[in-house]
Amino acid sequence: MSSSTDAVTRDWDGLTIPAPGTYVLDAAHKRVGFVVRHMMVSKVRGEFNEATATITVAEDPLQSSVVATIQGASIDTNQADRDAHMRSPEFLEVEKYPTLEFRSTGVKSRRGNEFVLNGELTIKDVTRPVELEVEFEGVGRSPFGQDLFGFSASTEIDREEFGLTWNVALETGGVLVGKKIKIDIEGEAIRQA
């Protein structure tokens, strides 16, 4: 790590990581996706097209924090009728609860470039703890002079714990929509200060 005040990376526990500072999620290089079982035989994939996040990288990386906001109305499963149903009061109720919110509560180093990000996820005014498995993908500088880092994260939630209980029983047994939702996030964060 350079000793100058404009250092953009540093070494920590065998990794080259970003210098302390505030970073924001790059809207052009992010994906907030999800997967849920459908009719007990297949999976439906989708994503939220509009999401913002501010990541504060601390001097001690394990004291870093994340605050993220997802616009519920930006849900996209490649099927307009399903998306409209997901925005309705039977699911996200976006007119009353326009955003899904995440706030981190702690970071733990696992091994190498793998971390656990603990936090609280709020959907429809219901807040529950979640644990994201995070992979730090590296740091770099864009051709436009922006200092950035990449990451991926995943977790699984039980949608019914957040009040998303709508379902239909199937004649063959089981239900139309699975309870478990796998969330996968990919992104780049750009240094602001």
Side-chain angles (χ1 to χ4, degrees):
M1 176 173 127
S2 166
S3 61
S4 70
T5 57
D6 63 350
V8 295
T9 65
R10 58 195 165 136
D11 292 327
W12 179 81
D13 203 24
L15 287 177
T16 300
I17 64 170
T22 302
Y23 297 76
V24 296
L25 185 64
D26 181 0
H29 298 97
K30 62 104 179 89
R31 181 176 186 279
V32 180
F34 60 88
V35 179
V36 64
R37 303 262 320 151
H38 181 254
M39 294 195 56
M40 310 299 291
V41 299
S42 66
K43 296 176 182 173
V44 169
R45 298 178 188 281
E47 63 185 85
F48 291 93
N49 293 320
E50 295 176 31
T52 59
T54 300
I55 303 164
T56 304
V57 177
E59 188 66 44
D60 172 356
L62 300 180
Q63 297 300 311
S64 299
S65 62
V66 179
V67 175
T69 300
I70 298 166
Q71 298 299 320
S74 74
I75 195 166
D76 183 0
T77 63
N78 259 343
Q79 211 281 328
D81 289 343
R82 180 172 46 227
D83 294 345
H85 189 204
M86 296 296 296
R87 292 180 189 110
S88 78
E90 290 181 338
F91 281 99
L92 295 174
E93 198 171 357
V94 299
E95 287 191 23
K96 185 173 181 182
Y97 306 103
T99 62
L100 294 76
E101 307 282 339
F102 175 81
R103 180 174 303 276
S104 67
T105 57
V107 181
K108 294 182 277 190
S109 178
R110 179 159 283 161
R111 63 189 163 278
N113 66 335
E114 297 175 5
F115 297 83
V116 174
L117 180 64
N118 291 307
E120 295 178 336
L121 178 63
T122 302
I123 302 174
K124 290 180 70 168
D125 253 5
V126 177
T127 302
R128 296 280 184 258
V130 295
E131 185 175 278
L132 285 95
E133 300 288 332
V134 178
E135 187 171 347
F136 174 72
E137 304 286 358
V139 296
R141 178 169 278 171
S142 77
F144 312 105
Q146 298 170 310
D147 297 313
L148 51 84
F149 68 89
F151 64 92
S152 58
S154 63
T155 191
E156 186 174 87
I157 63 169
D158 181 335
R159 67 183 178 91
E160 292 184 354
E161 291 181 357
F162 292 90
L164 306 175
T165 58
W166 181 90
N167 226 328
V168 172
L170 301 174
E171 286 182 25
T172 56
V175 291
L176 184 64
V177 182
K179 286 175 36 171
K180 300 291 185 181
I181 300 174
K182 183 172 184 191
I183 300 169
D184 290 303
I185 302 164
E186 302 280 342
E188 290 178 9
I190 300 172
R191 185 179 177 87
Q192 303 298 296

